[in-house]
Amino acid sequence: MNANDIPSAPTNFIRNLIDAERAAGSSSEIITRFPPEPNGYLHIGHAKSICLNFGLAAAYGGRCHLRMDDTNPEKESVEYAEAIKEAVRWLGFDWGEHLYYASDYYERLYLWAEELIRRGRAYVDSLSAEEMRAYRGTLTEPGRESPDRDRPAAESLDLLRRMRAGEFPDGAYTLRARIDMAAPNMNLRDPVIYRIQRHHHYRTGDAWCIYPMYDYAHPLSDAIEGITHSICTLEFEDHRPLYDWFLEQLADLLPARPRQIEFARLNLSYTLMSKRRLLELVREGHVSGWDDPRMPTLVGLRRRGFPPAAIRAFCERIGVGKSDSWIDMSVLEDCVREELNVAAPRALAVFNPLKVVLTDYPVEGVEEFEAANHPQRPEAGSRRVPFCRELYIERDDFMEDPPKKFFRLAPGREVRLRFGYIIRCEEVIKDPATGEIVELRCTHDPATLGANPADGRKVKGTIHWVSARHAQPAEVRLYDRLFTQPNPGAGREGRDWRADLNPESCRVREALVEPGLMQAAAGSQVQLERIGYFFVDPVDSRPGRPVFNRVVTLRDSWAKVDGGGD
Ligand code: ATP
Ligand code: MG
């Protein structure tokens, strides 16, 4: 798939529902929104929501708004809001001119709150938070009505205005919806609409000391923007009656009547997604920051080298449903492999070097082999890789006493060097003190460069190599899953997610790479043949001194090269 080619959303229950609405005669434009709270960085779970909302809008020729759901000033910041915009753009989506902030609606939301009081649908309450909890009842017992519930509207109005004017300390009063303290759905037991909270807001500054609650601000913000389908995760299903209640009470004043639809959130194994946990990972130094390549944040995945097209393909593959489930991390990794298999140019590097000396090759001799940058895409061009008498191969590609099916190098056996000759192992040199193999003496068959042996003998294995004289050392960071358990912290009683951190999630090593790779640009991707996909770290790389992040390993790291595949 072309990196810029955003696939249209696959069919799902929401599309079926929209199709049914259309079949029943609705002709309204489809307007969705992605409403993050700017209190942290977006993660892969948010990507599911982004792809769904923007994807639906694209599929129906409508539009998708980006709305900062910023009604909780304590944890929100400009830094987060900017990072959110950047991440949505990076994923490949464009909100055009439709960037909105719930905080821009504060005045309207406030005036509607006054209106609810006038209509007998809200009242100012003086119960403390603790009292309110006690009055709320339980799932099996109805709640009790607050003594302030029948406060005259004029008095509530006066109090609300004075709350806004800053006459009362935090927590002294709240504004509550007047619904039903006996409702089986606890969300309908006179929920709080406004609370007094003196906190500087990153956009409205100190203009307000009362802030609306999410359940109030959200449906009205949707209505203001003319959202037709307000898509959220399943935990809001029980809030839908409240969502509809606010829209109903103010229906005559609102420009639109949005509909809330819930879908199952993404749960991904071997990682954590709650923003609180992600913040703890950062604050406690388990990772280097929000953009640590092991983080499930979009900035982290980006720095790791996950292409946005792979994340979109993943969101498409997992689909959109109504029941909570877990997706295995390998599904995401496979999407990354599929994308990089097509996109990433190939190069040679050796991670665990064993020296090979070609005894029949001229001491000063140097050749350059033509090496295709991609086995299936000739348009990716080729490069020249230097070759000489002394090489490095992977230690794993040699066995002194191999089983029959070992098709790589062994005493007396032949193997092909990628892009080069067939060589044969003649002698194994060991360190006399330790017995460790330190060098292989080999001979090469000069007639086999780019050709099969004339005598028809079969050589099954192909291995990668670098020229000892030309190879350069480069830093490689072998990233792995952040946790050793699929559901970190779950299972055993009292187990903390920290105990499941993978101590091997980042191993820093040095590799010997073909010389051309030292010029690899920050942010470029490469498949190191037979090893894995790598990404030149955009933060720590310097010109001429790249740092290679491992994106993912190859599925089947050595069997495939002969087939010319990945
Ligand atoms: P967290 O629980 O991690 O703090 P949140 O849901 O509070 O996340 P928001 O900024 O409110 O974060 O989320 C913005 C949108 O992204 C919401 O519409 C929410 O439903 C959606 N979203 C958040 N997490 C997921 C997820 N894991 N899968 C799908 N959608 C998600
Ligand atoms: Mg939320």
Side-chain angles (χ1 to χ4, degrees), residues 372-442:
N373 289 333
H374 195 286
Q376 284 97 29
R377 290 177 39 229
E379 71 277 13
S382 64
R383 64 197 189 281
R384 299 177 76 80
V385 287
F387 180 86
C388 70
R389 187 176 199 261
E390 297 194 353
L391 313 169
Y392 289 110
I393 65 167
E394 283 318 326
R395 244 165 218 284
D396 282 359
D397 283 335
F398 174 79
M399 275 184 91
E400 199 173 14
D401 189 13
K404 205 152 177 256
K405 292 268 181 196
F406 186 79
F407 296 124
R408 292 167 281 163
L409 207 53
R413 292 203 194 168
E414 287 187 311
V415 77
R416 180 177 288 283
L417 296 176
R418 182 75 164 141
F419 307 118
Y421 302 107
I422 289 173
I423 62 169
R424 175 193 180 86
C425 178
E426 311 288 357
E427 192 184 348
V428 180
I429 312 288
K430 294 182 178 171
D431 180 326
T434 63
E436 191 199 5
I437 299 170
V438 291
E439 185 181 310
L440 303 178
R441 300 262 162 93
C442 300

Side-chain angles (χ1 to χ4, degrees), residues 444-466:
H444 77 295
D445 180 347
T448 56
L449 188 60
N452 288 326
D455 59 9
R457 71 187 195 278
K458 290 272 181 283
V459 175
K460 282 197 177 157
T462 297
I463 63 172
H464 63 275
W465 53 274
V466 291

Side-chain angles (χ1 to χ4, degrees), residues 159-392:
L159 284 172
L160 180 62
R161 286 173 187 159
R162 289 164 62 194
M163 282 165 66
R164 177 181 180 172
E167 286 188 29
F168 309 116
D170 289 14
Y173 290 103
T174 55
L175 179 70
R176 297 179 71 179
R178 198 163 183 281
I179 310 180
D180 180 3
M181 287 308 292
N185 181 340
M186 308 259 294
N187 293 304
L188 296 178
R189 293 185 187 171
D190 291 13
V192 171
I193 308 181
Y194 270 92
R195 76 270 195 211
I196 306 174
Q197 194 184 15
R198 281 178 181 72
H199 217 290
H200 190 82
H201 187 283
Y202 77 104
R203 291 188 83 240
T204 57
D206 297 312
W208 293 86
C209 64
I210 57 172
Y211 290 96
M213 302 300 288
Y214 172 89
D215 279 335
Y216 174 71
H218 206 82
L220 298 177
S221 301
D222 284 344
I224 289 171
E225 292 175 21
I227 301 300
T228 54
H229 298 81
S230 179
I231 299 163
C232 63
T233 41
L234 281 178
E235 66 272 22
F236 289 98
E237 198 162 15
D238 287 347
H239 296 238
R240 188 180 348 122
L242 184 54
Y243 182 97
D244 288 333
W245 188 87
F246 286 120
L247 295 178
E248 210 148 289
Q249 302 313 313
L250 297 164
D252 54 319
L253 304 176
L254 299 176
R257 181 66 195 258
R259 167 174 186 185
Q260 176 178 305
I261 300 167
E262 308 85 17
F263 73 103
R265 69 192 297 114
L266 168 66
N267 297 307
L268 190 62
S269 64
Y270 297 99
T271 190
L272 288 173
M273 264 188 276
S274 119
K275 279 187 227 167
R276 207 177 99 225
R277 291 276 178 267
L278 297 180
L279 191 61
E280 284 169 341
L281 280 167
V282 173
R283 292 226 170 116
E284 295 172 15
H286 302 295
V287 295
S288 64
W290 287 98
D291 72 344
D292 185 295
R294 294 164 291 180
M295 289 282 271
T297 51
L298 297 182
V299 279
L301 298 176
R302 176 180 184 171
R303 181 169 171 194
R304 170 83 163 261
F306 279 33
I311 297 175
R312 295 195 300 265
F314 169 72
C315 292
E316 187 170 334
R317 188 163 303 173
I318 60 177
V320 177
K322 264 276 189 202
S323 53
D324 271 316
S325 64
W326 281 77
I327 302 292
D328 198 85
M329 182 63 96
S330 63
V331 179
L332 176 58
E333 291 166 347
D334 270 343
C335 290
V336 171
R337 285 189 189 100
E338 282 168 32
E339 173 68 23
L340 290 178
N341 181 35
V342 175
R346 274 46 171 175
L348 301 179
V350 170
F351 276 49
N352 207 353
L354 173 60
K355 191 173 209 175
V356 167
V357 178
L358 300 178
T359 52
D360 59 347
Y361 198 84
V363 175
E364 297 299 330
V366 175
E367 279 176 277
E368 284 189 334
F369 298 149
E370 196 71 21
N373 289 333
H374 195 286
Q376 284 97 29
R377 290 177 39 229
E379 71 277 13
S382 64
R383 64 197 189 281
R384 299 177 76 80
V385 287
F387 180 86
C388 70
R389 187 176 199 261
E390 297 194 353
L391 313 169
Y392 289 110

